[in-house]
Amino acid sequence: MFKFALRTVTAAALVSAAVVSAQAANPKVGGAAMYENKNIIENAVNSKDHTTLVAAVKAAGLVSTLEGKGPFTVFAPTNEAFAALPAGTVDTLLKPENKAQLTKVLTCHVVAADAMSMAIAKMIKDDGGEHDVKTVGGCVLKAKQKGKMITLTDETGGVATVTIADVKQSNGVIHVIDKVLLPKS
């Protein structure tokens, strides 16, 4: 009887741990649940922290691309990251006549691979502390490990930190970052 009760508790504990683990697998982003069975755009539109990014993706005409099969890794800057750009930058980029420049900036946040943070960390370690990340937009980001955090240095020397990693999508993964990555002028 005692063994049976112990097994029942253990099984219940395992089920509870599995539920917690499943819930923790995809963190909330911008207060919204992120679903592995939805694509990057379907999830991003629900994040209150990524309204500027979503507007920029729409203005650049990249919605259908990021809804596509992938796989994609998107380093997703928050609204605060866009707000930290010099005054007027976002408004200027969103103008129709600047679509090419906006597209370049946005595609410098996208990698044509499904790169989870552990894989990125391994590449950094294997490359002696810094790994070149080639983006869809032709930018080369420098990935480094700072403690448990991954940082990305853009082509202008700006450094973004991954603040929420490994947000799985049906067509890739999102890593939330705290700075907009910029290409060389």
Side-chain angles (χ1 to χ4, degrees), residues 70-89:
F72 302 108
T73 296
V74 176
F75 297 105
T78 60
N79 293 341
E80 286 183 7
F82 279 101
L85 292 171
T89 301

Side-chain angles (χ1 to χ4, degrees), residues 49-173:
D49 291 344
H50 290 90
T51 56
T52 305
L53 177 61
V54 169
V57 167
K58 288 178 181 177
L62 295 172
V63 171
S64 61
T65 300
L66 293 176
E67 287 178 332
K69 184 178 177 183
F72 302 108
T73 296
V74 176
F75 297 105
T78 60
N79 293 341
E80 286 183 7
F82 279 101
L85 292 171
T89 301
V90 174
D91 291 335
T92 300
L93 285 171
L94 291 175
K95 290 180 180 176
E97 62 269 23
N98 296 323
K99 184 177 178 179
Q101 186 180 6
L102 175 62
T103 300
K104 177 73 172 176
V105 169
L106 293 175
T107 57
C108 283
H109 291 80
V110 181
V111 178
D114 189 347
M116 300 296 282
S117 63
M118 286 187 67
I120 297 169
K122 183 179 181 331
M123 288 182 259
I124 292 167
K125 184 178 178 187
D126 290 349
D127 288 351
E130 180 178 283
H131 178 73
D132 286 354
V133 177
K134 293 175 180 71
T135 70
V136 172
C139 298
V140 178
L141 308 173
K142 303 285 185 185
K144 295 179 184 176
Q145 187 92 34
K146 235 183 187 176
K148 292 185 179 191
M149 305 300 282
I150 291 175
T151 63
L152 300 162
T153 303
D154 67 21
E155 294 179 337
T156 68
V159 179
T161 300
V162 174
T163 58
I164 302 174
D166 301 334
V167 186
K168 298 174 190 169
Q169 316 290 297
S170 66
N171 60 346
V173 62

Side-chain angles (χ1 to χ4, degrees), residues 21-32:
S21 176
Q23 290 171 343
N26 246 3
K28 284 188 173 189
V29 175

